[in-house]
Amino acid sequence: MYTQFYGFTEKPFSLTPDPTFLYLSKQHKMALTMLSYGLQSQAGITVISGEVGSGKTTLIREILRQLDKDINVGLISNAHNSFGNLLEWVLMAYNIKTEAKDKATLYKVFVEFLINEYANNKRTVLIIDEAQNMDMQTLEELRLLSNINADKHLVLQLVLIGQPELLETLQRHELRQLAQRVSVDYKLKQLGYKETKAYIQHRLSVANGDKDIFDKYAVAAIYYHTGGVPRLINTLCDFALVYGFAEETKHIYLELMLDVIKDKQKGGVFPVISSENREQETVRRLVKQEKGIDIVPDHLEEADDVITEL
């Protein structure tokens, strides 16, 4: 709808994970480095965690583009609590076909596959996304799979990607053996104000648009109401461009951005923040000081703190 009006070659704020638009903030760059290190160093288990919408799946897509041809990757992209037989999912991830149904035979088929890959100088990596949904029994089965070795060499590497609940599960006493096998781990956090601004400008530039379509006050409102979560940032920016197109304005200003946020929150799906962190409070105060507009939801109380420059 608005791509031609703003001169984009494609939508800059799609919710679909796309490594083309990957913005490497300091922490996303570190997470990508940890993923690469875990794979290159043949770490047994690598764990990357982060809140919903923090960019974990996009990082997976990017790392898959970088892998060497001697690495055979199996991807389980949507683990869930009614997983059933883990081995069936694992075999499907590698496109291994078998008529077997019992776990013992399935295990034997997978071991033979791993040994054959190893004999052909190929490494095998299993990536599981949304791993926080796996129950303790399934995670324990993963640990048993990580025991498979050939000539004292590791033949299967595991990469677990999940929300913070995954870390809570791995810290349970019953899973201490699995946790002790985690060689590399990293936790993604939300973006700050400056990173949010850079993130928005990066995506606009990748779509060949004007990187300054959103003024700094609109960006401040976006940061405040999303807490720096990339997926929520995409949602607000996408709708803001629709509103901007409707108003035939080439720039997204604060008042328009607040209309977007208000309408999104009225829908009942977009989250309304219940508390603010130090940086959100600072940004809110600066906007009120410079524009005379309070971007805080009505249910939040005023708080006193030091004001720094945006």
Side-chain angles (χ1 to χ4, degrees):
M1 178 185 289
Y2 57 69
T3 51
Q4 186 174 357
F5 178 76
Y6 288 106
F8 299 134
T9 52
E10 57 184 313
K11 288 179 63 175
F13 298 105
S14 172
L15 296 182
T16 304
D18 184 351
T20 303
F21 283 91
L22 177 62
Y23 168 67
L24 288 176
S25 68
K26 183 178 180 180
Q27 57 173 323
H28 284 80
K29 185 176 182 180
M30 180 58 71
L32 190 62
T33 299
M34 287 296 170
L35 274 170
S36 298
Y37 172 74
L39 293 173
Q40 292 172 7
S41 65
Q42 298 190 41
I45 302 176
T46 298
V47 176
I48 302 295
S49 63
E51 290 289 350
V52 176
S54 60
K56 303 183 296 298
T57 302
T58 305
L59 287 174
I60 293 175
R61 302 288 186 236
E62 176 62 21
I63 203 69
L64 288 175
R65 296 202 308 178
Q66 299 179 12
L67 290 179
D68 296 331
K69 293 181 178 179
D70 65 343
I71 300 179
N72 193 345
V73 178
L75 174 63
I76 298 176
S77 59
N78 191 21
H80 47 81
N81 53 15
S82 57
F83 213 55
N85 192 333
L86 171 66
L87 281 168
E88 290 183 353
W89 286 87
V90 171
L91 294 179
M92 283 192 291
Y94 293 101
N95 199 28
I96 301 172
K97 301 184 185 302
T98 178
E99 297 296 325
K101 294 297 180 183
D102 62 287
K103 287 188 176 182
T105 306
L106 292 174
Y107 181 81
K108 180 181 178 182
V109 169
F110 187 53
V111 170
E112 290 175 350
F113 165 77
L114 292 175
I115 299 301
N116 183 66
E117 292 294 287
Y118 174 76
N120 286 287
N121 296 315
K122 286 190 174 184
R123 291 192 288 134
T124 304
V125 176
L126 177 62
I127 301 176
I128 301 179
D129 198 5
E130 303 294 349
Q132 78 282 347
N133 292 328
M134 303 174 76
D135 58 29
M136 291 181 58
Q137 180 179 344
T138 305
L139 287 169
E140 177 61 17
E141 288 183 40
L142 276 180
R143 183 187 70 81
L144 296 176
L145 289 181
S146 70
N147 286 338
I148 303 172
N149 295 309
D151 298 330
K152 298 184 180 181
H153 289 89
L154 186 73
V155 295
L156 176 65
Q157 291 178 258
L158 298 176
V159 178
L160 305 182
I161 312 293
Q163 296 168 24
E165 293 85 352
L166 173 62
L167 298 183
E168 296 175 9
T169 302
L170 291 175
Q171 289 169 0
R172 297 185 64 167
H173 180 74
E174 299 92 324
L175 291 175
R176 63 191 183 280
Q177 292 187 65
L178 176 63
Q180 289 172 3
R181 292 171 184 256
V182 176
S183 303
V184 178
D185 65 285
Y186 188 79
K187 183 178 181 179
L188 277 171
K189 298 179 181 178
Q190 293 91 331
L191 303 177
Y193 166 76
K194 290 183 179 179
E195 290 177 322
T196 297
K197 181 179 180 180
Y199 172 85
I200 292 171
Q201 291 182 333
H202 171 77
R203 295 188 73 103
L204 290 169
S205 296
V206 172
N208 294 304
D210 178 4
K211 69 180 182 66
D212 294 317
I213 290 176
F214 293 79
D215 72 24
K216 68 175 184 177
Y217 300 108
V219 173
I222 292 167
Y223 165 70
Y224 183 87
H225 286 277
T226 64
V229 176
R231 188 179 299 163
L232 296 180
I233 294 171
N234 286 4
T235 297
L236 288 187
C237 287
D238 183 57
F239 270 79
L241 292 172
V242 175
Y243 278 50
F245 170 73
E247 291 193 9
E248 297 184 357
T249 176
K250 292 290 187 179
H251 292 91
I252 307 301
Y253 51 91
L254 177 60
E255 292 82 356
L256 185 149
M257 196 66 242
L258 290 177
D259 285 342
V260 171
I261 293 167
K262 183 178 180 180
D263 289 347
K264 287 296 294 179
Q265 291 178 342
K266 277 184 178 179
V269 176
F270 193 87
V272 178
I273 65 170
S274 57
S275 61
E276 57 186 21
N277 61 33
R278 185 182 182 90
E279 188 170 8
Q280 285 172 306
E281 180 184 347
T282 298
V283 166
R284 171 172 62 85
R285 288 183 172 277
L286 282 169
V287 172
K288 189 172 183 179
Q289 176 181 283
E290 296 179 17
K291 296 287 288 183
I293 298 174
D294 196 349
I295 61 175
V296 65
D298 294 337
H299 63 276
L300 284 182
E301 297 179 351
E302 291 285 345
D304 295 323
D305 215 325
V306 178
I307 298 177
T308 58
E309 292 185 356
L310 281 173

